[in-house]
Amino acid sequence: MKRTLTYSINIFVFFILCCVSTNAQNDSIAKAKKDSIKHIQKYGLRVGGDLSKLIRTALDDDYKGFEIMADFRLTKRLYVAGELGTEERTLGNDYINTTASGSYFKAGVDYNSYTNWFGMHNMIYGGLRVGASTFSQTRNSYAVYAQEQYWEQEVSNDPAKSSGLTAIWAELIIGIKAEVLPNLFIGLNAQLKNVFSQDQPDNFENLYIPGYNKTYDGSNFGVGYSYNISYLIPLFKKG
């Protein structure tokens, strides 16, 4: 009887130890699986273009423009970014009509403030750029003031071109980029600009600076916008 009782106790203890061991192994496996699930992020070069300039070129006879853009991810939220483009824009008012033509380059950083869900790579970002442009201004026509003209001023159509002009400015950017297909993004942004220096043509002021946009009398501030499409070339991944 005593031997039977001892044997039963040994079986019971062995059963408990097996259960404990099994539960410990399951917990270890579950923890390992949980630890192995990491939010892997894509890092690489994203290249694209400004759709708004292409659409405007097709619809507006007084405008021609093209811009390519790129960014490279440095950290989880920080990107180095830049734009390169050309523009030609004809503008006029009651006194003068001019055509600005040239190229520009902008460089800076973007900061993504959006926290993506697992597997997403969207951006709601703010950015800073420093831009530089080299361009020419052509005076197409202008009004000639004369005291004896009471109703209409005489208009001169004698063109004059000033080349080798430059401008430097800074701009703040607020925008979004959404991944619509794997690695394919569409986005839009708004830009607030402040010009630091600009060369003026002889006898008139810049009405438009390529890359900067339209200028305003008595103000160093300007605005701009962009609708863009871009593709990410993944180079590596990390959590």
Side-chain angles (χ1 to χ4, degrees):
M1 181 68 177
K2 183 177 181 180
R3 181 177 299 177
T4 303
L5 181 59
T6 302
Y7 181 73
S8 300
I9 292 174
N10 290 337
I11 293 177
F12 178 75
V13 171
F14 177 77
F15 177 77
I16 293 298
L17 291 175
C18 288
C19 291
V20 171
S21 177
T22 301
N23 289 334
Q25 290 179 0
N26 291 338
D27 290 342
S28 178
I29 294 172
K31 185 177 180 180
K33 288 182 178 180
K34 184 177 180 180
D35 292 342
S36 65
I37 300 176
K38 295 181 180 179
H39 193 174
I40 303 300
Q41 299 281 322
K42 295 179 182 178
Y43 285 72
L45 178 66
R46 180 164 38 199
V47 181
D50 189 338
L51 292 177
S52 63
K53 287 181 170 54
L54 297 179
I55 295 172
R56 194 175 177 186
T57 298
L59 300 179
D60 188 348
D61 294 334
D62 293 329
Y63 179 86
K64 295 179 181 178
F66 176 77
E67 179 181 284
I68 58 175
M69 56 187 61
D71 64 52
F72 184 84
R73 191 175 190 177
L74 297 177
T75 67
K76 184 178 180 180
R77 296 188 180 273
L78 189 65
Y79 298 73
V80 60
E83 294 83 27
L84 176 67
T86 63
E87 284 188 307
E88 180 180 301
R89 177 73 164 122
T90 298
L91 281 176
N93 53 36
D94 294 337
Y95 308 101
I96 192 170
N97 181 280
T98 66
T99 298
S101 178
S103 58
Y104 62 91
F105 175 74
K106 297 187 289 185
V109 295
D110 291 333
Y111 181 83
N112 184 18
S113 62
Y114 183 70
T115 301
N116 283 286
W117 294 354
F118 183 80
M120 297 174 61
H121 306 92
N122 301 321
M123 293 180 65
I124 300 177
Y125 65 94
L128 176 66
R129 300 284 190 279
V130 175
S133 177
T134 176
F135 59 99
S136 65
Q137 292 280 9
T138 300
R139 186 189 64 198
N140 303 314
S141 63
Y142 64 98
V144 179
Y145 177 76
Q147 291 183 347
E148 64 272 13
Q149 292 176 311
Y150 296 102
W151 302 108
E152 293 185 1
Q153 298 293 322
E154 180 184 352
V155 175
S156 173
N157 293 312
D158 184 22
K161 185 175 182 179
S162 298
S163 302
L165 306 176
T166 61
I168 299 175
W169 68 92
E171 60 184 60
L172 296 174
I173 299 176
I174 298 176
I176 62 173
K177 290 182 181 179
E179 189 176 21
V180 293
L181 292 172
N183 300 325
L184 183 66
F185 294 79
I186 59 172
L188 59 90
N189 64 58
Q191 307 148 16
L192 176 63
K193 308 167 186 274
N194 182 29
V195 64
F196 294 143
S197 67
Q198 58 175 311
D199 296 333
Q200 300 283 4
D202 296 333
N203 302 320
F204 66 96
E205 295 182 350
N206 294 314
L207 300 182
Y208 193 94
I209 298 174
Y212 178 83
N213 214 333
K214 186 177 179 181
T215 62
Y216 297 91
D217 293 340
S219 174
N220 291 329
F221 288 94
V223 294
Y225 65 91
S226 170
Y227 302 108
N228 49 75
I229 184 169
S230 57
Y231 184 82
L232 175 64
I233 304 172
L235 300 179
F236 59 94
K237 297 179 180 180
K238 66 179 182 178

